[in-house]
Amino acid sequence: MNTDVLVVGAGPTGLALGVDLARRGVDALVLERADALFPGSRGKGFQPRTMEVFDDLGVLDALHAVGGTYPVGMVWRDGERVGEHQMFDPTVRPSADSPYNRTWMVPQWRTQEILAARLAELGGEVAFGQEVAGLDQDADGVTAHLSSGGTVRARYLVAADGGRSAVRRALGIGMTGETVDPKPTLVADVRITGLDRDNWHIFPPTDDIGILTLCPLAGTEDFQLIAQFLDEGAVVDLGPDAIRKVVADRTHLAAEDVTEVRWATDFRPRAALADRFRAGRVFIAGDAAHVHSPAGGQGLNTSVQDAYNLGWKLGTVLAGHAPAALLDSYEEERRPIAEQMIELSTDVHHGKVQRGGATRQMGLGYRESSLTVEARAAVAEGAVRAGDRAPDGRVGGVRLFDAFRGPHWTLLALGADAPGNVGAAVRVVRGDAHGAYGAGLFVVRPDGYVGWAGDTPEGLDGYLGRFGLAG
């Protein structure tokens, strides 16, 4: 079997990449070693920047339809409600330039269903029950050897096969990190009677037992149970009766109030970063490249944005519009972001910082990237610079996110004259100076970041030419 891109792993990272490649007309195949999509709620929170990514990928409406905002935390003690706890800053509201500026909850299993449906809609597919047992590379591509005995030949391979990535290990790429907390943690999706769904219920730790929380999962009848064990050597029993006992021991609920255990796992929070994100024609993304404590809600979000960064670059190179050297910018741009988000997650876990502006990921960007050119003589304090996320808004009657949506590039001419020789592959939006942008010319990349900014068109044609876009 031959394909342009082989994506290993049908989690959120692999499926998002599959969607992005499919809408670009790239021949790609997603492999998943399991027989079905992951069944648990694990990564349930999307930061605002990731919701913007999902807007572009065409799945935002579906995610809005089945998800919801996070409820206020309710602290319990001895069967009594003793206080509320705000998980997120309640003053944060959507705005004209940040329309999805709240954390949105969708259980991971449902997110994967939505992404898989979008992939199928675009003509892509997931091959289940297929595990990569080894791979070989040469100057022209990668040959993946499957445990079933078959092979897949691809021009590029992307490993999105999780924190224990078999592909990363086969490549000999190490991960540097630490155990964030040696105490084991139980995570389970359960159904419960006798507990309202209006709050995220928190049962604080004591000297003898760890914290337990029960979060109602938006759009479902389930709660996500999280329970920490204080004994570092504890072996967590994932059986339904054992989970019922944990709930009965730590809350005012009875064991029989847990009517169903739908999925369960255990883990010890750790943080680790791959030494490299690329080896030849193989890239690693998502948990295969970086592992986070779940406390900051950064792991899944950073992973989806890995895919979003890599997708347009693979599409550009495979179409012959740019040299293969463009792919070097994937590690250049994403590894520092992953390192930053790992540090943030760890600090949230240890209580050093609170969930806030940084966790929403709206301020992340690529100002230092080799793909970024800031050509203006002066930029006002707080204004959008080359390398920054391109905000939403309305210009000349056009909503900017509507203009950005799709696999193309966009040129914003705001209070400045747009050149007449821009290629057909670049969408042009003209209008007055606007909001955080101010006045000038702004080239917005397919992943929603400003790649080039200038006062005049000088240098614009050369920049677009780097990506085969010059008129």
Side-chain angles (χ1 to χ4, degrees):
M1 182 184 300
N2 294 324
T3 189
D4 283 333
V5 180
L6 179 62
V7 181
V8 182
T13 310
L15 290 170
L17 179 57
V19 168
D20 201 13
L21 294 173
R23 68 177 181 154
R24 297 175 188 282
V26 174
D27 184 17
L29 174 64
V30 180
L31 294 185
E32 171 56 48
R33 67 179 181 179
D35 293 329
L37 296 173
F38 176 75
S41 64
R42 190 162 52 194
K44 65 182 184 298
F46 292 120
Q47 303 298 343
R49 178 57 190 152
T50 305
M51 295 298 281
E52 295 179 355
V53 173
F54 286 145
D55 182 342
D56 185 35
L57 295 181
V59 297
L60 183 66
D61 287 347
L63 290 167
H64 271 155
V66 300
T69 56
Y70 276 71
V72 173
M74 177 60 64
V75 181
W76 291 81
R77 184 169 290 110
D78 298 327
E80 300 289 335
R81 299 171 186 257
V82 296
E84 293 185 349
H85 174 70
Q86 293 287 349
M87 297 290 184
F88 304 97
D89 185 349
T91 66
V92 174
R93 294 289 185 271
S95 62
D97 63 356
S98 303
Y100 317 124
N101 204 20
R102 294 180 297 182
T103 304
W104 192 251
M105 185 199 301
V106 180
Q108 183 173 320
W109 62 265
R110 180 157 275 166
T111 298
Q112 293 179 186
E113 287 183 349
I114 290 170
L115 287 169
R118 176 63 172 152
L119 178 61
E121 178 185 346
L122 293 168
E125 65 174 311
V126 179
F128 290 101
Q130 300 290 340
E131 184 172 5
V132 174
L135 55 88
D136 300 309
Q137 293 194 63
D138 55 45
D140 299 316
V142 184
T143 300
H145 303 278
L146 308 182
S147 56
S148 61
T151 62
V152 180
R153 177 71 176 174
R155 293 176 66 182
Y156 294 98
L157 184 149
V158 180
D161 53 341
R164 297 181 177 87
S165 171
V167 174
R168 186 193 68 236
R169 295 183 184 191
L171 294 170
I173 297 177
M175 289 194 85
T176 302
E178 61 177 337
T179 298
V180 175
D181 193 330
K183 303 180 186 69
T185 298
L186 164 68
V187 182
D189 294 345
V190 299
R191 291 192 174 174
I192 291 179
T193 61
L195 201 62
D196 72 76
R197 300 185 61 83
D198 298 326
N199 295 107
W200 185 337
H201 302 278
I202 303 167
F203 300 87
T206 68
D207 291 339
D208 302 319
I209 58 174
I211 188 172
L212 182 145
T213 67
L214 287 162
C215 178
L217 291 168
T220 78
E221 298 177 27
D222 303 343
F223 286 80
Q224 186 187 69
L225 162 69
I226 299 177
Q228 187 181 60
F229 292 79
L230 300 182
D231 181 2
E232 296 179 10
V235 176
V236 179
D237 188 338
L238 301 180
D241 289 342
I243 292 172
R244 290 185 173 96
K245 185 176 186 304
V246 168
V247 172
D249 287 348
R250 304 190 189 192
T251 75
H252 59 278
L253 300 169
E256 57 267 26
D257 289 335
V258 181
T259 59
E260 187 175 354
V261 177
R262 300 173 60 81
W263 166 79
T265 189
D266 71 302
F267 73 102
R268 286 169 171 77
R270 58 187 292 262
L273 180 68
D275 298 337
R276 293 177 289 148
F277 281 19
R278 180 183 185 184
R281 288 178 170 265
V282 181
F283 302 84
I284 59 173
D287 287 353
H290 43 83
V291 179
H292 309 241
S293 161
Q298 303 301 300
L300 185 150
N301 292 273
T302 304
S303 298
V304 168
Q305 291 173 55
D306 288 347
Y308 195 51
N309 182 281
L310 184 57
W312 73 266
K313 296 172 182 178
L314 283 168
T316 301
V317 170
L318 288 166
H321 297 319
L326 172 63
L327 299 173
D328 293 336
S329 66
Y330 167 65
E331 178 175 320
E332 175 195 357
E333 292 185 341
R334 293 307 301 168
R335 193 172 184 277
I337 294 290
E339 185 173 24
Q340 181 181 344
M341 292 301 97
I342 288 172
E343 181 178 358
L344 176 61
S345 297
T346 302
D347 285 347
V348 172
H349 186 103
H350 291 310
K352 295 181 180 179
V353 298
Q354 299 298 312
R355 297 177 179 88
T359 59
R360 294 196 293 274
Q361 298 201 353
M362 303 292 269
L364 299 179
Y366 307 119
R367 289 187 180 183
E368 306 304 319
S369 169
S370 61
L371 304 186
T372 298
V373 177
E374 177 55 73
R376 289 172 292 178
V379 182
E381 182 73 24
V384 173
R385 299 182 62 91
D388 292 351
R389 160 192 167 271
D392 198 5
R394 298 196 73 85
V395 172
V398 176
R399 184 190 174 194
L400 293 181
F401 276 10
D402 289 343
F404 299 158
R405 191 179 300 111
H408 57 272
W409 294 65
T410 306
L411 173 63
L412 303 181
L414 306 179
D417 293 330
N421 62 339
V422 176
V426 180
R427 182 172 297 176
V428 180
V429 177
R430 296 176 173 86
D432 297 331
H434 178 77
Y437 291 96
L441 297 169
F442 303 85
V443 175
V444 180
R445 303 176 357 173
D447 58 351
Y449 290 89
V450 177
W452 182 95
D455 297 311
T456 71
E458 183 178 355
L460 174 60
D461 194 57
Y463 181 80
L464 294 175
R466 294 171 61 181
F467 312 97
L469 299 169

